[in-house]
Amino acid sequence: MTVKSNHVTIKGIKDGLVFLFDDQCDFSELLNELRYKLEHSHQNILTGPIVHVDVKMGMRNISEEQKTLILETLKQKGNLLIRSVETPGIVEDEQGGPAIKTLCGMVRSGQILKHEGNLLFMGDVNPGGQIICTGDVIVIGAIRGMVHAGSGGNEKAVIAASFLAPTQLRIAEVISRPPDEWENRETSMEFAFLQEGSMQIDKINHVGKIRPDFNVFKGV
């Protein structure tokens, strides 16, 4: 079933919903229409069991703040679980690189968090939970599930966490060592990176050596 309006299209697919947004209208009009539709329309598909949602922003030149407003509005419907976000027109940061998205919460078993770009996640990734990201993934918490950074083939992507005990790490197409080899890890924050096609682990304060594009604090 497809429900259309001037600026928002909700399309039912086999395993969830796709929200398609007009990329030409004023952003405030788009947001207001989305809020109205969620509150007053299509209650049969926006209530009840968990529904996976794919979000497609189109080529709108959208900022991270605007993107967050859209996603937070969707999350107000407790049964909508955002599976992927497509934002080909996202605004870059002042250094010319993609802005980092900040989220908090917990990725539970069976949940998949997908993101286009770099992600800062404040919370834990539980066993059976997954984060899949085209850029870097930084977790202020424990990774006990699976994290895939550089999912579009970016071998320079890194994965960092307060505590690394994953079932699997993956950067681009390279997969980490088996889970039993993660036992007795150090408690300090670490990061994973690729070196000559092999995944390596190091303390987080050495990340600047691997990624010279990061700004490094040198003190005074």
Side-chain angles (χ1 to χ4, degrees):
M1 176 178 61
T2 302
V3 183
K4 289 188 175 181
S5 66
N6 291 332
H7 307 308
V8 178
T9 299
I10 304 175
K11 182 178 180 181
I13 58 177
K14 183 177 180 180
D15 59 347
L17 296 174
V18 177
F19 278 72
L20 304 167
F21 296 112
D22 178 10
D23 55 14
Q24 300 299 317
C25 69
D26 184 79
F27 178 78
S28 61
E29 294 178 9
L30 178 70
L31 187 61
N32 288 337
E33 187 167 315
L34 175 63
R35 288 169 174 166
Y36 180 86
K37 180 163 286 188
L38 290 175
E39 289 300 321
H40 302 287
S41 304
H42 323 300
Q43 295 301 311
N44 58 325
I45 58 175
L46 301 179
T47 59
I50 293 293
V51 178
H52 289 94
V53 170
D54 298 313
V55 179
K56 296 188 177 184
M57 302 282 191
M59 294 305 298
R60 176 182 296 275
N61 194 24
I62 191 170
S63 68
E64 278 293 326
E65 181 180 0
Q66 291 173 329
K67 179 181 169 185
T68 298
L69 284 171
I70 290 286
L71 298 183
E72 291 300 322
T73 300
L74 288 168
K75 289 176 184 177
Q76 290 176 9
K77 287 293 181 182
N79 70 314
L80 298 184
L81 181 62
I82 297 172
R83 177 170 52 192
S84 68
V85 181
E86 184 180 296
T87 55
I90 194 166
V91 173
E92 294 185 338
D93 65 12
E94 294 179 355
Q95 285 72 42
I100 189 166
K101 173 67 175 178
T102 303
L103 295 174
C104 64
M106 180 181 296
V107 182
R108 297 180 171 82
S109 178
Q111 293 183 323
I112 302 175
L113 169 58
K114 291 185 178 182
H115 177 64
E116 299 283 335
N118 302 315
L119 177 67
L120 171 63
F121 186 78
M122 295 182 288
D124 294 337
V125 184
N126 285 351
Q130 299 182 44
I131 291 179
I132 302 174
C133 188
T134 60
D136 303 320
V137 178
I138 302 169
V139 177
I140 308 300
I143 296 178
R144 295 187 175 90
M146 191 281 277
V147 174
H148 185 183
S151 61
N154 179 12
E155 296 185 351
K156 294 183 179 180
V158 299
I159 301 170
S162 303
F163 181 72
L164 279 172
T167 54
Q168 183 186 105
L169 293 183
R170 185 171 175 178
I171 298 176
E173 299 304 317
V174 178
I175 299 174
S176 67
R177 52 197 170 188
D180 55 359
E181 296 188 25
W182 290 98
E183 295 179 0
N184 303 317
R185 298 295 307 163
E186 294 189 29
T187 56
S188 59
M189 190 168 186
E190 297 176 301
F191 75 104
F193 61 98
L194 294 186
Q195 187 173 64
E196 297 180 354
S198 177
M199 192 174 299
Q200 307 292 328
I201 308 295
D202 202 347
K203 292 184 179 180
I204 193 65
N205 55 299
H206 295 152
V207 70
K209 298 178 181 179
I210 304 301
R211 288 287 298 275
D213 54 312
F214 288 165
N215 294 322
V216 178
F217 173 70
K218 298 183 182 298
V220 293

